């Protein structure tokens, strides 16, 4: 169904959003012989890929499984993830001669730059015959009448009108509006009566309540290894104090699982029985003050702040009762606070929530009530942990739709 009239273009597949998910879908569909147009309002494709992983793109995670995704239906991602695995993407990376390495915990990064991943996708899209239509804003989407079959949608832009059989929405989430994130995908869902799961900025860290900001703001820049717990999820990595709150990988992970009002619990000394440690010092006749002893275990600024707040007494250890020590150690093992909020879309790596998975086929990502309409990537209510999982979802959901559009 190729062919183009002046301002009217017919295409088998029209994909709105040329990010990771959209481009993967274009590759798979184009390689099946389908005509594909990728439409994006941005000047360049793959803007998020370019800023990802500190410019090196953490493009997948070897351990990716449905367990690292948050969704109202935790089973939904299984099918797509099983059919397009981290090894499938790595195979492409290798075929394009891109050098890469594992940083930690299964996370795969380019040795060079994220641009290599964008170039890989562009090359593959071109090889699959996909056409890019950038800097283009969609003004209207219409459902065509039944007798237009197999055409099902009309997409109106200022200069061109597209008619297509399959319309794929791959416009991502709301995070980082300054590089072009919009709520477009959610608006399309609403237009066609597809329900949404409430959205929130995630993988963005926490802002402390004013009273806690006063207490801990002075620790800005301090990073330490810890264990952070939100609901039933526990993450062991670095926490970083900022001027207004907490960041660092462990905190970003925790923010994905946090809902307003939830307490956040931090173990400042994971894997250590700090009470026993103090007791053994006490039994061996150590006469230091608690503040100095604690500095052997924690960065001194942190140790000082916690002692100022929770253990004001500066008596030497022999004069401190076991009961006093115990209650202080309980705070060190479970420092608890309720954040004011998460940092927000200006910093968030992802948007939690989105198109309700109940509305979509888990095999094809097609809308159940609107045949021919697909939602892929971050716009869907499937959100990965930090560590390459979100790109793996973009590739896998794009590939799943690309196999049928
Ligand atoms: C700073 C940062 C770092 C990250 N690092 C990583 C990482 O290392 N590893 C990882 O797995 N994940 C990472 N992520 C998350 C990851 O980038 C996203 O989950 C992923 O890019 C989602 O892919 P997508 O194709 O669904 O959407 P996107 O990549 O967001 O693509 C959406 C496309 O749609 C276009 N678009 C939006 N609105 C419209 C509209 N109205 N009209 C036309 N086009 C529109 C946009 O211009 C964009 O090109 C990071 C995110 C951020 C913000």
């Amino acid at each position: 169904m190729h062919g183009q009239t002046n301002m009217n273009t017919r295409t088998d597949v029209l994909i709105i959003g040329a990010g990771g998910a959209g481009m993967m879908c274009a590759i798979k569909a184009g390689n099946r012989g389908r005509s594909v147009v990728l439409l994006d309002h941005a000047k360049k494709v793959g803007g998020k890929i370019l800023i990802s992983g500190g410019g090196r793109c953490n493009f997948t995670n070897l351990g990716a499984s449905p367990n690292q995704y948050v969704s109202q239906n935790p089973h939904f991602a299984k099918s797509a993830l099983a059919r397009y695995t981290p090894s499938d993407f790595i195979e492409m990376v290798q075929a394009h001669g891109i050098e890469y390495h594992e940083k930690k915990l299964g996370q795969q990064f380019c040795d060079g730059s994220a641009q290599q991943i964008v170039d890989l996708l562009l090359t593959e899209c071109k090889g699959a015959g996909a056409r890019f239509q950038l800097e283009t804003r969609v003004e209207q989407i219409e459902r065509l009448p039944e007798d237009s079959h197999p055409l099902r949608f009309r997409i109106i832009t200022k200069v061109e009108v597209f008619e297509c059989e399959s319309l794929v929405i791959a416009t991502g989430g709301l995070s980082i509006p300054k590089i072009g994130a919009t709520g477009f995908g959610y608006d399309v869902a609403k237009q066609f009566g597809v329900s949404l799961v409430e959205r929130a900025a995630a993988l963005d860290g926490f802002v402390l309540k004013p009273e806690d900001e006063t207490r801990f703001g002075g620790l800005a820049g301090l990073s330490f290894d810890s264990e952070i717990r939100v609901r039933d999820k526990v993450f062991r990595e670095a926490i970083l104090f900022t001027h207004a709150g907490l960041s660092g990988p462990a905190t970003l992970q925790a923010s994905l699982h946090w809902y307003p009002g939830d307490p956040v619990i931090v173990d400042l000394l994971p894997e250590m029985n700090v009470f026993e440690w103090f007791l053994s010092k006490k039994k061996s006749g150590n006469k230091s003050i608690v503040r100095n002893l604690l500095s052997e275990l924690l960065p001194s600024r942190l140790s000082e702040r916690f002692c100022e707040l929770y253990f004001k007494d500066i008596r030497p250890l022999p004069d401190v009762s076991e009961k006093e020590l115990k209650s202080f150690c309980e705070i060190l093992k479970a420092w608890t606070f309720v954040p004011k909020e998460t940092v927000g879309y200006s910093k968030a790596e992802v948007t939690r929530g989105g198109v309700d998975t109940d509305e979509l086929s888990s095999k094809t990502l097609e809308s159940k009530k609107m045949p021919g309409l697909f939602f892929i990537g971050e716009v869907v209510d499937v959100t990965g942990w930090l560590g390459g999982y979100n790109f793996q979802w973009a590739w896998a959901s794009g590939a799943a739709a690309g196999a049928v559009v």
Side-chain angles (χ1 to χ4, degrees), residues 17 19-21 40-41 52-53 58 170-172 176 182 184 349 377-378 388 390-391:
D40 202 297
H41 68 167
S52 70
N58 176 193
T171 43
I176 324 285
T182 70
F184 180 86
E349 291 208 3
E378 198 184 314
N390 283 298
F391 280 130

Side-chain angles (χ1 to χ4, degrees), residues 273-292:
N273 188 329
V274 62
F275 177 58
E276 289 296 332
W277 185 83
F278 273 121
L279 278 190
S280 72
K281 294 277 177 198
K282 191 171 159 68
K283 279 178 191 146
S284 66
N286 191 309
K287 295 190 174 55
S288 306
I289 58 169
V290 168
R291 182 173 304 193
N292 292 347

Side-chain angles (χ1 to χ4, degrees), residues 1-2 7 28 37 43 49 113 123 168 181 184 199 205 252 265-266 268 288 309 316 328 332 338 368:
M1 199 192 306
H2 297 259
M7 289 295 161
K28 296 290 179 190
V37 174
K43 241 189 194 142
I49 300 174
S113 101
T123 307
V168 183
F184 180 86
R199 281 134 289 148
L252 298 196
I265 300 161
V266 178
L268 299 172
S288 306
L309 291 168
F328 181 51
L332 298 174
V338 177
K368 289 178 185 166

Side-chain angles (χ1 to χ4, degrees), residues 136-153:
T136 303
R137 222 163 267 284
V138 173
E139 308 210 312
Q140 207 175 318
I141 299 178
E142 293 167 2
R143 178 85 176 167
L144 294 169
E146 285 300 316
D147 61 5
S148 312
H149 188 81
L151 293 171
R152 288 193 279 214
F153 295 95

